[in-house]
Amino acid sequence: MIQKNSPLPIYYQLEEGIKEAIQQQELIPGEMIPSEREYAEKYGISRMTVRQALSNLVNDGYLYRQRGKGTFVAHQKIEQPLQGLTSFSEDMRSRGLEPSTRVISFTEVEASHDLAAKLEVEAGALLFELKRVRLADQLPMAYEMLYISKELAQGLTKEIAVNSIYDYVENKLGLKIQHGRQVLEASIARKTEAEMLEVAEGAPVLLIERRTTLDTNKPFELVRSVYRADRYKFTIDMERL
Ligand code: 16G
């Protein structure tokens, strides 16, 4: 993969070669890559050059280092466009990943004044409160807590929440989820979130709050999700104003 007479710098050729190997799945996420010394010997190049290539790949999120162990291939981030209102299950399936869900809790609570106002129900009305870990190909991606009015999501059960809630309310209850408003913030994983997402406490996460409404304008759900920042990135298409 290295051509010494090429006008391209050697570190750059090595970088591109490693990226290519990741794309071709010759290097698999979670796998340890050869050491600096091994690359240097294999291609007859200096360790400094190898170090530069690997550092760039770490900074760009292709590789990650574990102190005392080595350098590993990172899981590629999922890129989520922010224009359509989609469910987690749809998002993962559209990428060829298998969604799954761990329902951590499924309870009924009485709406506080604040929740009642946001969901446009009477204070004290019953709400479903759900906590779920969402996984893609068995890897935890997000931890979400949601509130939905019990009156709207009739018959919702824990078993249904293991699959797709949007699928249930749209295809079984015949409701139409129409509109969503989402707020994104940078944050760090608190203790419980870190456990659920299998990251260290304090690891970077993306905090997302979503409120959706039905075609009748009635609020449907309030969701607070914590996404692993090492597995997710969001893209927004913009038109010049
Ligand atoms: C996404 C939504 C969440 C929605 C869920 C439905 C965000 C931040 N959250 O996780 O609001 O409840 O999808 O997914 O995108 P489901 O139909 O697979 O249960």
Side-chain angles (χ1 to χ4, degrees):
M1 78 180 150
I2 306 289
Q3 288 178 318
K4 291 211 170 126
N5 54 3
S6 156
L8 297 172
I10 291 178
Y11 75 87
Y12 179 80
Q13 293 184 45
L14 182 61
E15 246 179 88
E16 292 302 306
I18 295 174
K19 279 190 205 167
E20 174 85 16
I22 295 172
Q23 263 144 25
Q24 299 296 322
Q25 300 194 324
E26 287 155 26
L27 288 171
I28 309 292
E31 181 182 336
M32 188 164 90
I33 63 158
S35 66
E36 270 174 29
R37 188 176 49 77
E38 285 168 315
Y39 273 124
E41 279 172 8
K42 184 169 175 196
Y43 296 112
I45 56 182
S46 79
R47 282 181 65 160
M48 274 276 286
T49 305
V50 178
R51 191 168 309 152
Q52 183 170 4
L54 298 187
S55 293
N56 289 349
L57 291 169
V58 168
N59 291 338
D60 292 345
Y62 290 93
L63 303 176
Y64 64 96
R65 290 202 175 101
Q66 268 193 335
R67 197 172 295 171
K69 290 193 182 153
T71 306
F72 298 81
V73 181
H75 291 271
Q76 296 310 295
K77 286 191 185 182
I78 289 184
E79 192 166 342
Q80 170 76 42
L82 281 179
Q83 44 268 10
L85 177 52
T86 50
S87 73
F88 182 84
S89 305
E90 290 165 345
D91 291 341
M92 296 309 117
R93 291 213 173 93
S94 68
R95 292 174 174 74
L97 301 171
E98 190 50 36
S100 59
T101 303
R102 257 180 234 143
V103 179
I104 304 299
S105 68
F106 182 99
T107 49
E108 285 178 26
V109 295
E110 288 182 6
S112 63
H113 282 280
D114 180 47
L115 284 173
K118 287 180 179 151
L119 286 169
E120 294 176 18
V121 295
E122 301 278 319
L126 287 179
L127 305 177
F128 290 119
E129 186 198 85
L130 273 103
K131 293 181 184 158
R132 307 193 288 175
V133 179
R134 314 302 307 265
L135 306 95
D137 284 353
Q138 314 294 332
L139 291 173
M141 292 286 157
Y143 177 51
E144 59 184 29
M145 177 160 99
L146 56 150
Y147 291 101
I148 307 180
S149 144
K150 188 179 174 191
E151 203 191 325
L152 278 182
Q154 284 176 13
L156 184 65
T157 60
K158 188 175 171 183
E159 289 64 42
I160 295 168
V162 167
N163 296 300
S164 169
I165 294 180
Y166 280 14
D167 180 54
Y168 174 74
V169 300
E170 293 186 326
N171 298 322
K172 292 281 175 343
L173 299 182
L175 301 177
K176 172 128 182 57
I177 299 165
Q178 180 80 43
H179 179 84
R181 186 184 154 82
Q182 203 155 285
V183 180
L184 253 95
E185 273 180 86
S187 188
I188 52 169
R190 315 273 167 209
K191 190 164 184 291
T192 313
E193 295 161 354
E195 281 166 18
M196 297 296 160
L197 295 173
E198 297 171 22
V199 294
E201 203 176 328
V205 292
L206 295 157
L207 181 63
I208 303 178
E209 287 189 338
R210 182 189 277 199
R211 178 179 180 264
T212 57
T213 45
L214 301 176
D215 56 352
T216 57
N217 272 338
K218 175 99 179 155
F220 171 67
E221 60 175 345
L222 272 183
V223 189
R224 181 184 184 278
S225 306
V226 181
Y227 278 77
R228 283 182 58 150
D230 61 340
R231 300 238 163 109
Y232 245 88
K233 57 182 172 187
F234 294 89
T235 52
I236 308 171
D237 281 319
M238 286 178 280
E239 305 296 332
R240 176 111 171 92
L241 295 177

